[in-house]
Amino acid sequence: MKIGIIGAGNIGGNLTRRLTALGHEVSVANSRGPQTLTALAEETGAKPVTASEAAKGAQVVVVTVPLKAVPDLPTGFLDGAAEGAAVIDTGNYYPQRDGRIAAVEDGLPESRWTEQQIGHPVIKAFNGTYAQDILDRGRPQGTPGRQALPVAGDDPAAKQAVRDLIDELGFDTVDGGGLDDSWRQQPGTPVYGNRGDADAIAKALSEASPERSAEFRA
């Protein structure tokens, strides 16, 4: 599968490592330019590109940049993606880093805000996952206690594509509902950073409160 990754930080870098190891054709971009991705490219075989090029022909695009950087993504960066491409948003709102985003403070789910900025539906996944777990904790399907990740989004086909990819990476998934329900997996909720199996993740999602905790408010 052709996959574009925009953002080469902890999550983006480790997804690049695992997805190339699984045989996917990965293009990776960051804000500083492809010349700064030489080491990652040599390590993984991924193709370093600009953010404008990362989604070209991609069936899955991963947007894994700080929330404050989302509005700065190149205009039309998704125009060349494959028809029906799934766009994964891994982002979280950290006001100490991102500054105050009024709509999110007023209750708009973070990924809904990202969707509005980029003009394309997104699937929320990996946002509460420890980056090192992507490398270390994947297990074969059916392994007892296999770690599960919540996945939220409105497009059933795109959501299924993302869930299948996560399964390939070695994790179960739990349907987190539509994107309007994705607040259940935002920072400060019971599922955020939770390494539980599918039952534990489903329980954690059900116990979430829509009230944003003080730690994650501006």
Side-chain angles (χ1 to χ4, degrees), residues 87-89 111 114-115 118 120-124 152-154 179:
V87 178
I88 301 174
D89 169 35
S111 287
T114 293
E115 182 181 82
I118 68 174
H120 192 286
V122 302
I123 305 296
K124 189 176 190 75
D154 297 332
L179 209 63

Side-chain angles (χ1 to χ4, degrees), residues 10 34 36-37 52 122 137 171 202 208:
N10 294 334
T36 66
L37 293 169
S52 297
V122 302
R137 292 180 63 90
F171 302 90

Side-chain angles (χ1 to χ4, degrees), residues 195-214:
R195 287 172 160 151
D197 63 9
D199 288 343
I201 296 305
K203 182 174 185 290
L205 287 170
S206 73
E207 293 172 347
S209 166
E211 185 68 29
R212 181 178 291 275
S213 64

Side-chain angles (χ1 to χ4, degrees), residues 113-202:
W113 183 85
T114 293
E115 182 181 82
Q116 291 174 359
Q117 303 307 306
I118 68 174
H120 192 286
V122 302
I123 305 296
K124 189 176 190 75
F126 298 108
N127 73 291
T129 308
Y130 294 104
Q132 194 62 32
D133 289 355
I134 294 169
L135 298 183
D136 296 344
R137 292 180 63 90
R139 299 291 184 269
Q141 193 177 72
T143 301
R146 191 189 199 206
Q147 185 173 331
L149 310 183
V151 179
D154 297 332
D155 181 334
K159 185 190 284 187
Q160 191 59 53
V162 173
R163 295 181 74 175
D164 289 346
L165 192 65
I166 292 171
D167 178 53
E168 194 179 350
L169 286 164
F171 302 90
D172 285 341
T173 57
V174 173
D175 190 337
L179 209 63
D180 285 338
D181 300 310
S182 64
W183 57 266
R184 293 182 179 277
Q185 62 195 74
Q186 291 177 173
T189 60
V191 82
Y192 181 75
N194 192 320
R195 287 172 160 151
D197 63 9
D199 288 343
I201 296 305

Side-chain angles (χ1 to χ4, degrees), residues 61-116:
V61 181
V62 183
V63 177
T64 180
V65 301
L67 219 64
K68 66 179 180 181
V70 169
D72 299 328
L73 291 169
T75 301
F77 75 97
L78 292 168
D79 290 352
E83 186 176 354
V87 178
I88 301 174
D89 169 35
T90 77
N92 292 309
Y93 173 52
Y94 301 124
Q96 302 91 334
R97 177 196 67 188
D98 299 315
R100 189 178 193 276
I101 298 176
V104 176
E105 291 281 344
D106 290 342
L108 186 70
E110 296 165 8
S111 287
R112 187 66 82 191
W113 183 85
T114 293
E115 182 181 82
Q116 291 174 359

